[in-house]
Amino acid sequence: MSPGMLADVTATGPGAESRRAALQALDGPPFDLIVVGGGINGTGIARDAAMRGLRVLLIEKDDLGAGSTAYSTRLIHGGLRYLEFFEIGLVRESLREREILLRIAPHLVRPLPLLIPLYRSGRYPASLVRMGLVAYDALSFDKSLPNHRFLTRADALRRVPGMNPEGLRGAGLYFDAQADYPERLCVENVLSASAHGAAVLTRARAERLLVKDERVLGVEVRDLPSGRAFTVLGRLTVNATGAWVDELSGTLATPPGRMLGGTKGSHVVVDPFPGAPRDSLYFEAGADGRPMFIVPWQDRYYLIGSTDIRYEGDLDRVVAEPAEIRYFLEEANRIIVGAGLTPASVRYSYSGVRPLPYTSGTREGRITRRHILHDHAPLTGLLTVVGGKLTTYRSLAEEAVDHALRVLGRPRRRSPTGLVPLPGAAGEPGRVAEWLARERGLQVEVAERLAGLYGTRAAEVLRAAGDDPDLLRPLGGEAPTVGAELVLAFRAELAGSLADAFLRRTMTGLAGDRGLGALDAALEVGRRHLGWDAERSGSEAEEYQRALERYAPAGLPVGAGS
Ligand SMILES: Cc1cc2nc3c(=O)[nH]c(=O)nc-3n(C[C@H](O)[C@H](O)[C@H](O)COP(=O)(O)OP(=O)(O)OC[C@H]3O[C@@H](n4cnc5c(N)ncnc54)[C@H](O)[C@@H]3O)c2cc1C
């Protein structure tokens, strides 16, 4: 079937135009690049390739950023821990990228102070941590963030009064960065890719790589809303499906060996608790010496994680186990003695799979976090991305597109992505918030939220509100989301469902109430502004409830702490 014909049957309602345009583009000449996978790496590659003049198609089976990207610790970090394994190149690359992301996406990536408490019983002597931090600073000599410093025991306790004082010798204080919402980095990469001509199709699964005479010619794609299959041709296909990489490469007549060996990592989200630190804490778990984080998140909650467990299960249904949750709570209560965290303190949990290169026998924490680009020679027309952190997505994309230009015989053009800010990045978030509050009369809380999430694209939210002031009032619930954000998500940010809009556009679903307090008002916005009838509202609400199953521990209902 011709993909253009699909445009008639699958693209209706707000946002349908971009889907229709993407489906129609599939009828044109072969793409230069087909990127499979709309996580941070796939969207980064699509942006870079489109900016360097390639004709690009991005396909994603679910939603942008719905894979591992949505389930990480959300740090943009050099990887202090990797120094232990002498991964100097990776640390330097990550630190350079941290700086670039702070510059090209200041609304989405911000500096984060971290404190490493040093205990007498610790696995690493203070002198080694000190050496590590000195090396970290040396490897980020061109950074804008402050250098590390050491705190005496008294200073450390002054900074985090709740910290367990027993055996405490002092602490190292250093800076990394945090992307509260890497999901939105994906969205902004895609907005930029689309503005440079890329076609983007979500809910379209690559089912099979098409091969002829040792050459990958493209992919067979299934349009999930309609269930129909069609063929898309491209001169180079990039398998950027993260933890799913082996699934797609397994469709080759002669599949390569196993490339991916994922590990599962979980987190819990809690409200501020007695003794909660202002800074992030990076400490050794008492039970097994694993690195753990307690990170202030969304200016309102704390993220505690993570685990690192080899995983062979269903990649689309990864959830935290009650034992992991107990482990987080025990460790948090050990380091912050008065925290008093119990299973009832957990607002929700989430879990994802790190797409790591396959190794057998290596301890999880020792598996390299470096990415690998496989060109599959002597097969041509295929490039596979294995591994890759959030932090290094941009440099990975640059490397992939350099490769693409080479094999496509295109002139070398330098990647502009390190210099050209993401779409919402022009201007300072603080000043955008001030402008929204003062000039447009928005509540301060709403203005700050819009500036932090959308940067200067907050103006688009105002436009989406049109002349309906109701669309600029919070919907209710814990996140001060306004209705116009939903309208924008569907009309201009490729959201296809309420779950997309809540979990990966407006981020309402990551509030402590998981967006449930805003649900009814959101359905009303759907009815009034997006043309939803009662049936659509019902199915959106149901689908959203199903999506929330990822945010509850295994075997327990949504909302149960453990
Ligand atoms: C617990 C945990 C903590 C982490 N913490 C950090 C951190 O703090 N900092 C950091 O830098 N990194 C961190 N990471 C790593 C980082 O999150 C991932 O490496 C990164 O998000 C991977 O991005 P990706 O685009 O390769 O994969 P994904 O985000 O998984 O994207 C792949 C996409 O491909 C799609 N897909 C799969 N198969 C198909 C198909 N056949 N057709 C179409 N689409 C398909 C999927 O739906 C998915 O959306 C962490 C990861 C985890 C799990």
Side-chain angles (χ1 to χ4, degrees):
M1 154 172 254
S2 145
M5 285 168 66
L6 278 171
D8 300 332
V9 291
T10 65
T12 56
E17 267 159 52
S18 58
R19 187 169 180 83
R20 204 174 302 127
L23 284 163
Q24 264 155 9
L26 307 189
D27 272 341
F31 289 92
D32 295 319
L33 206 66
I34 300 174
V35 182
V36 185
I40 193 69
N41 287 321
T43 57
I45 293 169
R47 177 187 194 220
D48 191 316
M51 289 180 92
R52 286 202 257 178
L54 297 184
R55 197 168 130 39
V56 178
L57 168 68
L58 173 71
I59 52 175
E60 161 58 50
K61 73 179 172 66
D62 187 339
D63 182 31
L64 305 173
S68 305
T69 298
Y71 301 109
S72 71
T73 313
R74 301 160 186 272
L75 300 179
I76 300 299
H77 64 146
L80 181 61
R81 187 173 76 74
Y82 313 146
L83 288 174
E84 185 186 348
F85 311 118
F86 299 103
E87 298 240 40
I88 308 293
L90 174 61
V91 175
R92 171 63 192 145
E93 177 187 357
S94 305
L95 289 167
R96 204 176 45 224
E97 289 302 312
R98 182 186 74 183
E99 192 61 28
I100 291 174
L101 293 178
L102 283 164
R103 205 170 52 232
I104 65 165
H107 56 311
L108 295 172
V109 178
R110 47 186 185 165
L112 179 77
L114 289 110
L115 203 73
I116 306 183
L118 297 167
Y119 284 98
R120 214 161 272 129
S121 58
R123 209 153 59 94
Y124 303 100
S127 56
L128 198 67
V129 176
R130 210 178 273 264
M131 257 169 55
L133 287 172
V134 168
Y136 208 60
D137 278 341
L139 288 167
S140 53
F141 57 89
D142 45 1
K143 65 179 172 293
S144 57
L145 300 176
N147 278 340
H148 84 275
R149 61 193 167 88
F150 263 84
L151 306 183
T152 61
R153 173 189 152 85
D155 283 346
L157 286 172
R158 247 193 304 279
R159 203 160 169 122
V160 186
M163 196 154 58
N164 192 341
E166 210 181 307
L168 184 72
R169 301 175 64 190
L173 177 67
Y174 74 107
F175 278 80
D176 259 320
Q178 179 179 34
D180 277 20
Y181 308 119
E183 299 86 344
R184 284 213 58 92
L185 282 172
C186 295
V187 173
E188 292 220 6
N189 271 300
V190 156
L191 292 175
S192 171
S194 303
H196 288 88
V200 179
L201 207 53
T202 58
R203 293 190 168 69
R205 188 172 57 224
E207 301 222 298
R208 201 163 62 84
L209 293 161
L210 301 168
V211 188
K212 194 171 172 209
D213 302 333
E214 290 284 292
R215 174 163 197 87
V216 172
L217 300 177
V219 284
E220 192 175 293
V221 177
R222 188 166 302 275
D223 175 65
L224 297 176
S226 69
R228 299 191 193 172
F230 52 91
T231 295
V232 188
L233 300 180
R235 298 180 63 203
L236 181 66
T237 297
V238 181
N239 179 355
T241 58
W244 291 262
V245 146
D246 289 329
E247 244 177 61
L248 187 59
S249 64
T251 65
L252 290 168
T254 320
R258 182 170 179 180
M259 290 183 277
L260 207 102
T263 69
K264 173 189 175 189
S266 303
H267 293 86
V268 291
V269 177
V270 298
D271 285 322
F273 48 89
R278 255 183 318 135
D279 309 309
S280 284
L281 286 189
Y282 180 21
F283 62 102
E284 256 173 49
D288 56 3
R290 281 210 65 253
M292 275 199 56
F293 290 98
I294 299 180
V295 189
W297 184 39
Q298 306 188 62
D299 296 325
R300 185 158 186 176
Y301 308 104
Y302 281 83
L303 194 57
I304 306 178
S306 64
T307 39
D308 200 0
I309 304 165
R310 280 198 192 262
Y311 186 76
E312 305 286 344
D314 183 348
L315 294 171
D316 291 294
R317 253 177 272 284
V318 193
V319 287
E321 295 293 329
E324 292 179 277
I325 292 179
R326 276 196 300 277
Y327 166 76
F328 295 144
L329 298 177
E330 275 163 24
E331 293 301 336
N333 287 334
R334 190 183 59 78
I335 195 89
I336 303 290
V337 274
L341 292 168
T342 70
S345 319
V346 175
R347 305 299 304 275
Y348 62 87
S349 60
Y350 67 76
S351 191
V353 174
R354 297 179 185 84
L356 303 177
Y358 175 70
T359 54
S360 68
T362 313
R363 233 185 49 220
E364 289 89 335
R366 288 180 168 265
I367 302 172
T368 184
R369 266 52 176 172
R370 187 184 290 280
H371 63 258
I372 299 164
L373 298 183
H374 276 287
D375 70 359
H376 298 269
L379 188 73
T380 58
L382 178 64
L383 184 71
T384 296
V385 174
V386 178
K389 314 188 304 158
L390 294 174
T391 309
T392 48
Y393 89 83
R394 197 212 58 86
S395 54
L396 180 153
E398 180 173 335
E399 204 184 310
V401 178
D402 284 347
H403 172 93
L405 294 178
R406 233 177 4 256
V407 299
L408 297 176
R410 294 295 183 84
R412 269 191 71 164
R413 281 180 69 182
R414 284 186 67 139
S415 169
T417 59
L419 296 173
V420 182
L422 284 172
E428 280 172 40
R431 297 188 58 183
V432 175
E434 217 180 280
W435 174 78
L436 289 168
R438 209 185 39 226
E439 304 292 325
R440 304 303 303 261
L442 297 192
Q443 291 176 20
V444 171
E445 193 187 20
V446 171
E448 282 174 357
R449 167 193 165 71
L450 296 187
L453 263 187
Y454 303 92
T456 47
R457 289 190 66 256
E460 305 276 330
V461 178
L462 299 183
R463 253 194 295 281
D467 51 14
D468 185 345
D470 277 355
L471 282 176
L472 290 175
R473 294 203 184 98
L475 297 174
E478 282 183 39
T481 309
V482 297
E485 294 179 66
L486 288 177
V487 175
L488 182 73
F490 279 89
R491 291 218 179 115
E493 293 193 333
L494 273 76
S497 70
L498 186 69
D500 296 353
F502 263 25
L503 292 167
R504 292 171 291 272
R505 301 296 184 286
T506 66
M507 313 320 298
T508 317
L510 298 190
D513 66 354
R514 286 151 298 129
L516 293 172
L519 189 56
D520 288 343
L523 295 173
E524 185 56 29
V525 170
R527 277 189 288 270
R528 285 184 46 212
H529 298 276
L530 303 169
W532 295 358
D533 56 16
E535 191 188 338
R536 172 85 189 255
S537 297
S539 64
E540 289 291 350
E542 261 173 44
E543 189 193 323
Y544 185 57
Q545 293 284 355
R546 267 199 308 279
L548 289 184
E549 288 168 13
R550 283 282 306 251
Y551 297 84
L556 290 162
V558 178
S562 80

